[in-house]
Amino acid sequence: MAIPYPHFIATEKAAMDAGLLLPSSSSSSRSPSVIFTQDDLKKIAAYKAVEYVESGMVLGLGTGSTAKHAVDRIGELLRQGKLKDIVGIPTSKITHEQALSLGIPLSDLDSHPVVDLAIDGADEVDPFLNLVKGRGGSLLREKMVESACKKFIVIVDESKLVNYVGGSGLAMPVEVIRFCWKFTAERLRKLFEEAGCVAKLRTFGENEEPYVTDNGNFIVDLYFERSIGDLKAASEAILQLAGVVEHGMFLDMATTVIVAGELGLTVKNK
């Protein structure tokens, strides 16, 4: 998706840092016809989020296409000497490998139970900054790390904004143990029957093999036709089901959401 990106001063530093604008193009006389792709918007939001990072921090390193840009930027600033004494706690095996390749020092929650700042993407953001995460499959580790942080910055493009959790019509993932997963999936479906819920095992490849998380579990994706109502009540009901490990609703966790869209960057604070 290509979006015309008009002049908007709050985006310019992040856009230039991301290599998407030249300093000479940042004057107010610049034509408002600069075209950025959806991935460019993700990169701009990610670079803006990294402006919150300070030397000496313990950082939660998110997973996914948007968070990848933030991790790349942190690695770049470390190489340049602009950041020092950073400790990263990755939220997936993929991010662990990416961070290692960039020379970012890594640790875990056992050694650093309090995280200064986490940066990650989201699949949905509602008007109250509640999130759906985990369509990339890393929801459990993401929630463990991001629930331990003092500040959680979420970076998205405007396509991720919804009126209510589940409002995109796309998956709200639930990580479940493999044992009798069909039984668990049916219980999940019945919980939200009034919302028109459909529960599907996540699969991959031509043979539709079950997707297995970094933790050795399956994911059941829930699809809703209507709002599920009270999110905290829904969260509690899901977690009370034996066989459920964790769900992808991140409620009251985001402290800041940075949204890149047609009018530039919007920063929303809790």
Side-chain angles (χ1 to χ4, degrees):
M1 179 181 70
I3 293 177
Y5 213 94
H7 178 77
F8 190 79
I9 191 68
T11 70
E12 290 186 353
K13 182 180 187 302
M16 286 189 286
D17 286 344
L20 299 171
L21 284 178
L22 296 175
S24 61
S25 67
S26 62
S27 69
S28 59
S29 62
R30 175 165 52 85
S31 169
S33 60
V34 178
I35 302 297
F36 289 159
T37 66
Q38 187 174 24
D39 190 62
D40 291 338
L41 298 183
K42 292 178 180 181
K43 190 173 184 181
I44 291 169
Y47 276 52
K48 178 64 178 178
V50 175
E51 293 178 17
Y52 290 78
V53 176
E54 299 176 2
S55 293
M57 280 186 167
V58 177
L59 298 176
L61 305 178
T63 299
S65 59
T66 308
K68 182 180 184 298
H69 290 305
V71 177
D72 284 341
R73 178 61 171 165
I74 291 166
E76 180 183 12
L77 293 176
L78 280 171
R79 289 194 305 274
Q80 294 173 353
K82 296 179 180 178
L83 286 177
K84 298 179 180 179
D85 302 320
I86 292 296
V87 175
I89 301 181
T91 56
S92 67
K93 291 180 180 178
I94 289 176
T95 301
H96 184 275
E97 294 303 315
Q98 179 194 4
L100 280 181
S101 72
L102 295 168
I104 300 174
L106 299 180
S107 188
D108 56 34
L109 291 175
D110 291 334
S111 301
H112 295 86
V114 178
V115 180
D116 294 304
L117 172 68
I119 299 175
D120 207 350
D123 300 306
E124 291 184 359
V125 180
D126 80 1
F128 305 100
L129 306 191
N130 295 310
L131 317 173
V132 170
K133 291 177 50 58
R135 290 181 191 151
S138 302
L139 64 145
L140 175 58
R141 297 191 186 190
E142 288 174 338
K143 188 169 285 189
M144 289 178 69
V145 173
E146 289 151 11
S147 65
C149 64
K150 298 176 183 177
K151 189 174 184 66
F152 177 25
I153 299 178
V154 178
I155 45 180
V156 294
D157 67 86
E158 64 183 354
S159 70
K160 302 301 192 296
L161 302 181
V162 295
N163 293 326
Y164 59 88
V165 164
S168 67
L170 302 176
M172 196 286 281
V174 181
E175 186 161 341
V176 304
I177 66 168
R178 301 190 196 196
F179 177 72
C180 295
W181 68 263
K182 291 182 182 179
F183 172 76
T184 306
E186 179 59 14
R187 294 184 78 188
L188 286 166
R189 186 195 68 78
K190 286 183 177 179
L191 271 182
F192 304 107
E193 198 164 13
E194 292 185 0
C197 180
V198 174
K200 295 181 179 179
L201 180 70
R202 183 175 299 185
T203 60
F204 72 97
E206 293 182 1
N207 296 327
E208 296 192 343
E209 295 291 327
Y211 175 88
V212 179
T213 70
D214 286 349
N215 318 298
N217 299 313
F218 287 170
I219 288 182
V220 173
D221 286 323
L222 304 183
Y223 300 85
F224 307 113
E225 293 181 0
R226 296 174 289 281
S227 170
I228 60 175
D230 186 325
L231 297 181
K232 290 187 177 180
S235 170
E236 292 174 4
I238 292 171
L239 294 175
Q240 285 175 0
L241 294 180
V244 167
V245 180
E246 188 53 86
H247 60 70
M249 291 188 293
F250 285 49
L251 309 179
D252 296 324
M253 289 179 60
T255 55
T256 299
V257 175
I258 299 174
V259 184
E262 291 187 22
L263 297 179
L265 286 183
T266 302
V267 179
K268 302 181 179 183
N269 293 304
K270 194 71 175 179

